[in-house]
Amino acid sequence: MDKTINVTLKVWRQAGPKAKGHFETYKLDNISTDASFLEMMDILNEKLISERKEPVAFDHDCREGICGMCSLYINGHPHGPDSEITTCQLHMRKFKNGETITIEPWRSAGFPVIKDLMVDRSAYDKIMQAGGFVSVSTGGVPDGNAIPIPKAAADEAMDAAACIGCGACAAACKNGSAMLFVSAKVSQLALLPQGKVEAKRRVKAMLSKMDELGFGNCTNTGACAAECPKAISITHIARLNREYIKAKFAD
């Protein structure tokens, strides 16, 4: 038999980007501990709709920990109290019976609120457009052994490429910095020969766009890496700084 719990939800409600937001309190009873956090949010919305009230707007898509859309700030942690997971992978067994759960949107100047728990994360897309790509013509799919790459470099590049761009790093950072995201995207290309051609232009363009979009600077507190659902290492920020210094000296 499934275990169930009763919870109190303090949910951030905001009608639009320019509206003044506030918390509203809801009570839910008999929530299965096997339910995911987003399934619990679905139950809340079904309850609100049945009461002819406005449902809570929140982002979700794959619900498999892949897309990074489920960006919720739960009890003071991006994606909730569990580690190395996205919100959609969080289950209600992580909460106690009678617990009050505070749910907020990302808090960052670079991620303005659209409505309730939804934020505009297109800033990350703009940073990627500024330089997170390889523009050379690669033709067909090359043989895997055609370009020798040291395994250590390939492994580290793949670790950096695991970043899903959810925005938890900026939400966790006291400065609202996107440095962990930008450094992961720089690393995944800087470590590979295909990314060397545009390396100098890339790092300068992506950092410039990050600053332009209102993200803060990194002060190495490490909150970004601690809250990252894909365990992206803060060492990538060190590589980003090295790449930037090399690019500036090459001018």
Side-chain angles (χ1 to χ4, degrees), residues 74-122:
I74 304 164
N75 284 353
H77 295 276
H79 296 299
D82 210 346
S83 59
E84 296 184 19
I85 63 164
T86 52
T87 300
C88 61
Q89 297 172 299
L90 177 66
H91 285 79
M92 295 308 293
R93 55 180 168 268
K94 282 291 180 180
F95 302 94
K96 299 176 182 177
N97 185 43
E99 185 171 352
T100 297
I101 305 172
T102 302
I103 311 169
E104 303 171 74
W106 282 170
R107 302 294 191 181
S108 172
F111 298 138
V113 173
I114 298 173
K115 183 177 181 179
D116 295 340
L117 304 174
M118 296 176 63
V119 299
D120 182 355
R121 291 183 297 133
S122 62

Side-chain angles (χ1 to χ4, degrees), residues 101-163:
I101 305 172
T102 302
I103 311 169
E104 303 171 74
W106 282 170
R107 302 294 191 181
S108 172
F111 298 138
V113 173
I114 298 173
K115 183 177 181 179
D116 295 340
L117 304 174
M118 296 176 63
V119 299
D120 182 355
R121 291 183 297 133
S122 62
Y124 272 13
D125 296 328
K126 293 172 183 175
I127 292 172
M128 288 298 289
Q129 290 166 4
F133 56 87
V134 176
S135 63
V136 296
S137 175
T138 58
V141 179
D143 181 83
N145 296 319
I147 304 175
I149 301 171
K151 185 179 186 303
D155 287 346
E156 195 171 358
M158 287 299 293
D159 288 344
C163 170

